[in-house]
Amino acid sequence: MSVNITHTRGYSHVQKAAIAFGAVFLLVGILGFIPGITTNYDMLHVAGHHSEAQLLGIFNVSVLHNIVHLIFGVAGLLMARTLTAARAYLIGGGVIYAVLWLYGLVIDRDSQANFVPVNTADNWLHFVLAVAMISLGVTLTRRMTATADSTATQPPQ
């Protein structure tokens, strides 16, 4: 009995996750510049804690914050091209968001240190993003790394 296996170029699960996160960050960056979706749009500042603009009326944003989302989104879409880069984007991005979460917890929100700016909703979103991105980056590539390890340890035939 002969089995014919055809290989089609598709995206792996980790690449799809990187595309999804990249697309969402890109969308969030764009929405941050749209009055109505961003409340108090007239209070949107370039950077700093004085920006009172809020995406969806919940998350503090500034021009800098929106640009960071746009860049992070484009990075996700570009890095999704390869499995290794997609994994690095998810895990590395998750680590960045974990650091931002911790940073948001320790800074005085009314000080110059809050240059992004962040509020409580941002902090907890950063925490959720950190957990989700790291978890997906690790779990969606666990099989890949296990296969690579077992192939490396098997003697040639």
Side-chain angles (χ1 to χ4, degrees), residues 26-42 44 53-57 61-62 66:
L26 193 58
L27 180 63
V28 166
I30 292 167
L31 293 177
F33 288 113
I34 299 176
I37 295 173
T38 298
T39 59
N40 301 322
Y41 190 79
D42 57 328
L44 183 71
Q54 293 186 320
L55 181 63
L56 304 173
V61 292
S62 65
N66 293 335

Side-chain angles (χ1 to χ4, degrees), residues 45-52 61-62 64 111-112 114-118:
H45 290 267
V46 174
H49 66 282
H50 297 292
S51 184
E52 293 181 27
V61 292
S62 65
L64 175 63
S111 73
Q112 293 299 325
N114 191 10
F115 64 94
V116 175
V118 295

Side-chain angles (χ1 to χ4, degrees), residues 88-100:
Y89 172 76
L90 290 172
I91 294 173
V95 169
I96 289 168
Y97 274 103
V99 169
L100 280 173

Side-chain angles (χ1 to χ4, degrees), residues 31-155:
L31 293 177
F33 288 113
I34 299 176
I37 295 173
T38 298
T39 59
N40 301 322
Y41 190 79
D42 57 328
M43 301 295 291
L44 183 71
H45 290 267
V46 174
H49 66 282
H50 297 292
S51 184
E52 293 181 27
Q54 293 186 320
L55 181 63
L56 304 173
I58 301 169
F59 305 102
N60 278 11
V61 292
S62 65
V63 173
L64 175 63
H65 204 155
N66 293 335
I67 290 171
V68 169
H69 286 138
L70 291 170
I71 292 168
F72 208 68
V74 170
L77 296 176
L78 292 174
M79 292 180 77
R81 291 179 177 178
T82 68
L83 192 122
T84 306
R87 181 178 196 265
Y89 172 76
L90 290 172
I91 294 173
V95 169
I96 289 168
Y97 274 103
V99 169
L100 280 173
W101 172 65
L102 291 171
Y103 182 74
L105 292 178
V106 299
I107 62 166
D108 176 4
R109 292 198 193 126
D110 293 323
S111 73
Q112 293 299 325
N114 191 10
F115 64 94
V116 175
V118 295
N119 62 11
T120 301
D122 289 305
N123 286 341
W124 290 108
L125 179 60
H126 292 161
F127 173 76
V128 169
L129 287 170
V131 170
M133 292 178 80
I134 293 169
S135 296
L136 288 171
V138 170
T139 59
L140 294 178
T141 56
R142 181 172 291 152
R143 188 174 182 190
M144 173 192 77
T145 56
T147 304
D149 290 344
S150 66
T151 304
T153 58
Q154 291 181 356

